[in-house]
Amino acid sequence: MAARVLIVDSISANRILLKVKLASAFAQVEQAASAGEALDLLQTETTPDLLVLGGDLVDMTAIELCALVKEQPNLANLPVLLVHTDGHHADLLDALRVGADDAFDMSVSTDALLARIRSIVRGRNTFEELRLRERAGHIPGLAEPLTGFDSPASVLLAVRNETEGARWQAQLSKMAPFALRSQVEGDIMRNVGQFAAPDAIVISLAVAAPEEALRLLAEIRARAATRQAAVLVVLDECNDTARINALDLGANDVIAEGFNAEEAVLRLDKMIARKRLTDRLRQKVEDGLTASVTDPLTGLFNRRYAMPHLDNMAQRANGQTAPQGDFAVMLADLDHFKDVNDKYGHAAGDIVLAEIARRMRANLKSADLIARMGGEEFLVVVQTDNRESAAKVAQRLCDVVRAKPIYLRGRDIQIAVTVSIGVAMGSDMLEAKKAKFSDSEDSLACALIDQADQALYGAKADGRDKVLLSITAA
């Protein structure tokens, strides 16, 4: 759990006590004796992973400092833990209201404190890892605060019996606009892989018999469908062992002394907002990864995706001990496309490229690959039984491109376009590889492309608007 923590307390003995509790689990523990000093440290480039606030500050209260930190956009996602309360439930609620992740009194055991911090730091690390990927991909960032929902959050109450579920649901419905439903834990266990994941799951855990609740928690975290759901565990009585087990199995938060609707709402609000923010960030990263392998003009895959895909396909075919069918690699190039750009302009050329890409994609199977390799050249990879079938697919693409001129509505003109296609068969190249490419697995995709390219040049030389199989395939 290597992380950086900043401890803030005006009494040196309190800081030392907290540092002793935390030092063995953190790579670096810093200290500040006042809120002002802490704020100065927080404005440096090396923001800590966790802010721990003690109860005795000379210039403001810990609650006020926490609220001030949460108001600053660059610190809004910084986890804050208060270790100062006298054990009163009202102190805990006050801390949660201003945005603290949790609050403990100074008598908390080291193991329980570290378990809660592990949970907080796990969430922090996931968020920061996604932010780093986002920045690395130059994906536009997110600035949404951790408050507010786009729509009512869905919350599943995993309870020990229907009576408990009805009571919790009635209390929560009065305090928050959650879309609530309750279900007995045993029933959820049997169907955990079949229901749509809610935003949050609240699990009831009986300290005297925690096995079923902990097993459900483990299943939720093990299943891809529910892994990202926020999980709040409610203990029926305070117990360090149960709390530690729940947190270390993946609970995001724990209510330690029985169900309290106000506390549950405060914790759920924060958990769900953070979960949704992380989901949006994860989607940004996924969209960025998709964009990195997609041609923005045509919507087809680009060369960055196509080459590894083709190489993997060739190597997989090369490793098969029995014939599994053949595949064809085609290079399609628009004929006289430079004349289109010169005569009608590049904007018209872009429309032509996009329409030709759409026509060819529509005339291929969903499992076939089509990618724009650059300029007016396209790569097509299809599974096929033999050369004749490959030639028919290529001819069909030629025909669909030629069949109808491309109409530019804004200029009321029609542009006739044809395409030439060179075809190489995977089986022929793999046979040739035994002699020529035996020492280089990476050359398979390049060799197939080169063979199809030679056939394409032949089709161009033979008058264009033609299909030509490579010399090896012929």
Side-chain angles (χ1 to χ4, degrees):
M1 190 176 61
R4 297 178 60 253
V5 62
L6 174 61
I7 297 171
V8 187
D9 198 302
S10 296
I11 298 178
S12 59
N14 289 347
R15 297 198 303 272
I16 293 170
L17 177 60
L18 286 171
K19 183 173 182 178
V20 169
K21 286 177 179 288
L22 305 181
S24 62
F26 290 90
Q28 184 177 352
V29 178
E30 298 179 88
Q31 302 179 45
S34 68
E37 183 183 351
L39 290 171
D40 288 341
L41 290 171
L42 290 173
Q43 296 305 325
T44 63
E45 293 183 0
T46 54
T47 305
D49 298 294
L50 175 67
L51 179 62
V52 178
L53 305 182
D56 295 288
L57 299 176
V58 294
D59 43 0
M60 66 178 70
T61 67
I63 294 290
E64 291 170 339
L65 177 56
C66 179
L68 185 60
V69 167
K70 291 298 177 180
E71 289 173 358
Q72 302 184 46
N74 63 317
L75 299 176
N77 296 319
L78 174 64
V80 180
L81 184 64
L82 274 65
V83 186
H84 79 290
T85 65
D86 296 324
H88 299 302
H89 196 253
D91 294 332
L92 170 62
L93 295 181
D94 287 342
L96 295 175
R97 289 189 190 104
V98 297
D101 289 75
D102 218 330
F104 294 91
D105 62 76
M106 291 294 288
S107 64
V108 64
S109 72
T110 300
D111 288 341
L113 180 62
L114 291 179
R116 182 67 182 103
I117 292 176
R118 282 195 294 272
S119 173
I120 292 172
V121 171
R122 269 200 309 271
R124 168 78 168 176
N125 288 344
T126 298
F127 182 80
E128 289 301 320
E129 181 180 353
L130 288 169
R131 283 215 306 183
L132 285 173
R133 291 180 184 178
E134 176 199 45
R135 291 168 181 169
H138 303 290
I139 307 165
L142 296 172
E144 294 90 340
L146 280 178
T147 57
F149 303 130
D150 300 325
S151 59
S154 57
V155 178
L156 171 63
L157 306 177
V159 292
R160 287 173 284 163
N161 52 66
E162 294 181 356
T163 301
E164 183 179 60
R167 177 168 57 86
W168 286 14
Q169 191 164 339
Q171 294 180 34
L172 287 172
S173 62
K174 296 176 182 178
M175 303 188 68
F178 298 145
L180 296 164
R181 72 181 181 93
S182 63
Q183 194 171 359
V184 176
E185 290 170 356
D187 294 338
I188 297 175
M189 278 287 293
R190 286 187 287 273
N191 303 303
V192 68
Q194 301 176 15
F195 61 82
D199 289 302
I201 303 173
V202 183
I203 300 177
S204 175
L205 188 151
V207 169
E211 293 81 10
E212 187 167 49
L214 292 176
R215 193 159 54 246
L216 173 60
L217 173 57
E219 284 290 333
I220 289 169
R221 287 298 179 236
R223 306 270 182 167
T226 55
R227 188 173 299 142
Q228 306 303 332
V231 177
L232 173 65
V233 172
V234 180
L235 308 182
D236 61 350
E237 61 180 272
C238 189
N239 181 277
D240 276 357
T241 300
R243 181 192 301 208
I244 293 167
N245 287 338
L247 290 168
D248 284 347
L249 278 174
N252 298 91
D253 207 346
V254 172
I255 295 179
E257 298 187 42
F259 181 78
N260 178 279
E262 183 177 5
E263 181 180 351
V265 169
L266 287 169
R267 292 186 186 274
L268 284 169
D269 277 348
K270 190 174 187 67
M271 290 164 54
I272 292 169
R274 182 168 285 158
K275 185 257 183 188
R276 288 188 167 185
L277 178 58
T278 302
D279 285 347
R280 289 195 292 271
L281 185 55
R282 184 178 289 109
Q283 188 61 52
K284 285 279 187 182
V285 172
E286 291 177 0
D287 290 346
L289 292 174
T290 299
S292 72
V293 295
T294 303
D295 174 54
L297 175 63
T298 62
L300 302 178
F301 287 118
N302 60 19
R303 186 183 188 91
R304 180 182 294 175
Y305 176 89
M307 293 302 288
H309 177 90
L310 177 57
D311 192 58
N312 289 337
M313 190 174 183
Q315 291 189 34
R316 189 165 58 249
N318 186 47
Q320 293 172 349
T321 56
Q324 300 291 324
D326 206 348
F327 66 95
V329 177
M330 307 176 188
L331 279 182
D333 190 87
L334 299 189
D335 297 324
H336 302 297
F337 185 69
K338 184 178 182 299
D339 294 344
V340 174
N341 282 330
D342 291 344
K343 184 174 182 181
Y344 301 105
H346 288 277
D350 288 348
I351 294 173
V352 170
L353 285 170
E355 173 60 17
I356 295 305
R358 186 197 65 78
R359 291 184 188 182
M360 290 197 294
R361 174 71 275 178
N363 282 271
L364 294 168
K365 297 177 182 177
S366 59
D368 297 334
L369 169 70
I370 178 170
R372 184 184 178 196
M373 298 296 279
E376 64 270 26
E377 188 173 72
F378 299 88
L379 171 70
V380 178
V381 183
V382 299
Q383 293 283 352
T384 183
D385 294 329
N386 50 51
R387 298 181 182 86
E388 290 74 19
S389 296
K392 287 180 180 179
V393 172
Q395 189 59 56
R396 185 171 72 243
L397 294 179
C398 272
D399 294 342
V400 75
V401 170
R402 181 194 325 106
K404 184 179 179 182
I406 296 171
Y407 179 57
L408 273 62
R409 186 180 303 274
R411 298 167 62 178
D412 193 27
I413 57 175
Q414 294 186 343
I415 303 175
V417 182
T418 61
V419 65
S420 300
I421 301 178
V423 184
M425 299 302 297
S427 59
D428 291 334
M429 182 52 59
L430 293 176
E431 285 297 320
K433 168 193 172 293
K434 293 178 181 178
K436 191 174 182 180
F437 299 106
S438 58
D439 296 328
S440 176
E441 295 291 342
D442 293 337
S443 65
L444 288 172
C446 292
L448 284 163
I449 293 287
D450 182 65
Q451 200 71 27
D453 198 37
Q454 292 180 39
L456 173 61
Y457 276 114
K460 294 278 190 182
D462 197 31
R464 294 181 169 83
D465 190 20
K466 295 184 184 301
V467 172
L468 184 67
L469 272 68
S470 69
I471 295 174
T472 301

